[in-house]
């Protein structure tokens, strides 16, 4: 018997496929959220509690390069580059309406390029269902600047030959070079976030603390100390120039071991030269 194809009227009565139902729902969510959601230039997505996409505006579709019917088959986890341990927690916080800021994270576009975004997310009721609406701030240019800054840091500070650190207004270390970490006999990650008096204990045991003085008096503080590991150090603490970040002071320390050894060798050589001159003078007098 030849295959029977459904009549057009019968096809109209067939239930929509899962994909069609999701697209129809996504369009319904867009209509419910209104013209501002659809027309804003801020990329905005709507996801379920488990991360499945419920909808997205045109700005988000253009930003990621997906069509609406492609996106509704995915979850937000599919866009995240690298490990995703925090995603469930972030979704739960947004679903509950927790206003705590979310960290930036890398997302992958359809063409494989990486986009860095900071989500601002919260719950919204749509047709009796709680969904998460998330506006995505594009911070990719900022990350590019930071990456270039990291190259400059590597080229300048890491090869500086001196211990170097940046501290914030609470005197906590926010950046340091490997020379400083090696001098402290600590790992860089174990130093970050610690207060100066926890790390530079010999220096900051003095009262007032040189970092506090430099920040308060806006002047350079210089001193020589012997570290806990026996290194003679010359330490300079500078107040940071005005900046958009949170840097308050700059810490630079120079190991004086080589310099003092060189001074000792020069002093010894000078004494030998003086002794030679005295011996030559005595020999001349004896000859006379």
């Amino acid at each position: 018997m030849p295959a029977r194809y459904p009549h057009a009227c019968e096809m109209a009565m067939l239930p929509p496929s899962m994909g069609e139902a999701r697209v129809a729902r996504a369009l319904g969510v867009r209509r419910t959220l209104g013209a501002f959601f659809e027309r804003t230039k801020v990329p905005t997505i709507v996801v379920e509690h488990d991360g499945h996409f419920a909808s997205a505006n045109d700005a988000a579709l253009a930003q990621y390069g997906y069509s609406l019917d492609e996106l509704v088959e995915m979850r937000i986890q599919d866009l995240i580059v690298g490990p995703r341990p925090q995603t469930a927690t972030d979704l739960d916080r947004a679903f509950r309406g927790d206003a705590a800021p979310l960290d930036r994270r890398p997302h992958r576009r359809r063409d494989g390029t990486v986009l860095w975004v900071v989500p601002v997310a919260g719950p919204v009721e749509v047709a009796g269902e709680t969904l998460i609406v998330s506006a995505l701030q594009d911070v990719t240019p900022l990350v590019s600047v930071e990456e270039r800054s990291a190259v400059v840091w590597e080229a300048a500070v890491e090869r500086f030959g001196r211990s170097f650190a940046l501290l914030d207004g609470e005197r906590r270390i926010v950046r340091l070079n490997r020379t400083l970490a090696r001098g402290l006999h600590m790992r860089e990650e174990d130093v970050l976030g610690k207060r100066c008096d926890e790390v530079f204990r010999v220096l900051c045991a003095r009262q007032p603390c040189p970092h506090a003085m430099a920040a308060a008096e806006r002047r350079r503080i210089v001193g020589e100390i012997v570290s806990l590991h026996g290194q003679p150090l010359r330490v300079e603490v500078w107040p940071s120039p005005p900046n958009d970040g949170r840097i308050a002071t700059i810490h630079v320390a120079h190991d004086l071991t080589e310099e003092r050894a060189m001074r000792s060798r020069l002093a010894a050589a000078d004494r030998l030269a003086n002794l030679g001159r005295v011996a030559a003078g005595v020999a001349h007098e004896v000859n006379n």
Side-chain angles (χ1 to χ4, degrees):
M1 180 180 292
R4 176 180 178 275
Y5 295 97
H7 189 270
C9 294
E10 295 178 64
M11 290 180 66
M13 298 175 61
L14 291 174
S17 68
M18 183 68 71
E20 291 171 337
R22 286 176 178 162
V23 171
R25 178 199 184 203
L27 293 172
V29 169
R30 288 178 64 146
R31 286 192 296 271
T32 302
L33 293 177
F36 178 78
F37 170 78
E38 292 197 50
R39 296 177 186 173
T40 179
K41 296 185 189 240
V42 177
T44 308
I45 58 175
V46 184
V47 298
E48 300 172 13
H49 193 184
D50 65 356
H52 275 101
F53 281 96
S55 192
N57 67 358
D58 289 339
L61 296 176
Q63 185 180 57
Y64 286 98
Y66 288 98
S67 63
L68 188 60
D69 55 345
E70 288 175 321
L71 203 64
V72 295
E73 298 291 337
M74 301 166 61
R75 297 193 308 161
I76 188 66
Q77 292 91 326
D78 298 328
L79 299 182
I80 298 175
V81 178
R84 303 185 286 269
Q86 281 293 111
T87 306
T89 303
D90 289 344
L91 288 167
D92 192 51
R93 283 168 50 191
F95 188 80
R96 295 195 317 266
D98 186 344
L102 300 176
D103 296 330
R104 68 187 182 193
R105 67 280 318 270
H107 284 182
R108 182 173 283 109
R109 297 185 180 98
R110 193 177 191 277
D111 62 6
T113 58
V114 174
L115 172 79
W116 284 86
V117 299
V118 175
V120 180
V124 65
E125 290 289 326
V126 178
E129 181 184 11
T130 301
L131 299 174
I132 300 166
V133 175
S134 180
L136 304 171
Q137 180 187 3
D138 183 1
V139 294
T140 307
L142 175 62
V143 173
S144 298
V145 169
E146 290 179 352
E147 288 174 348
R148 290 195 294 271
S149 298
V151 172
V152 173
W153 177 276
E154 179 70 27
V157 178
E158 291 295 354
R159 300 175 188 177
F160 188 37
R162 299 188 180 187
S163 298
F164 190 91
L166 303 177
L167 290 83
D168 64 15
E170 297 179 353
R171 293 161 34 205
R172 296 188 182 279
I173 296 173
V174 296
R175 196 153 193 182
L176 71 154
N177 65 355
R178 288 188 288 270
T179 304
L180 177 58
R182 285 195 298 268
L184 294 169
H185 299 271
M186 298 173 70
R187 297 181 303 174
E188 293 176 55
E189 56 268 30
D190 294 334
V191 179
L192 288 172
K194 290 188 179 296
R195 283 173 54 91
C196 62
D197 53 3
E198 297 177 277
V199 177
F200 311 125
R201 284 175 284 179
V202 175
L203 175 70
C204 297
R206 304 176 177 184
Q207 294 299 324
C209 167
H211 290 277
M213 287 176 62
E217 301 176 14
R218 305 301 300 167
R219 67 184 180 90
R220 168 176 169 250
I221 309 296
V222 185
E224 292 190 7
I225 63 168
V226 177
S227 74
L228 293 175
H229 303 287
Q231 293 170 293
L233 301 173
R234 179 186 297 116
V235 180
E236 299 179 46
V237 181
W238 299 75
S240 172
N243 60 89
D244 294 333
R246 50 194 178 122
I247 307 305
T249 55
I250 302 167
H251 174 104
V252 181
H254 176 55
D255 188 347
L256 297 175
T257 304
E258 284 287 328
E259 186 177 317
R260 289 188 175 179
M262 178 64 73
R263 285 180 187 172
S264 295
R265 288 195 292 270
L266 289 173
D270 190 51
R271 286 195 298 271
L272 287 174
N274 286 334
L275 184 59
R277 283 193 291 271
V278 170
V282 171
H284 179 70
E285 291 298 328
V286 169
N287 288 335
N288 285 339

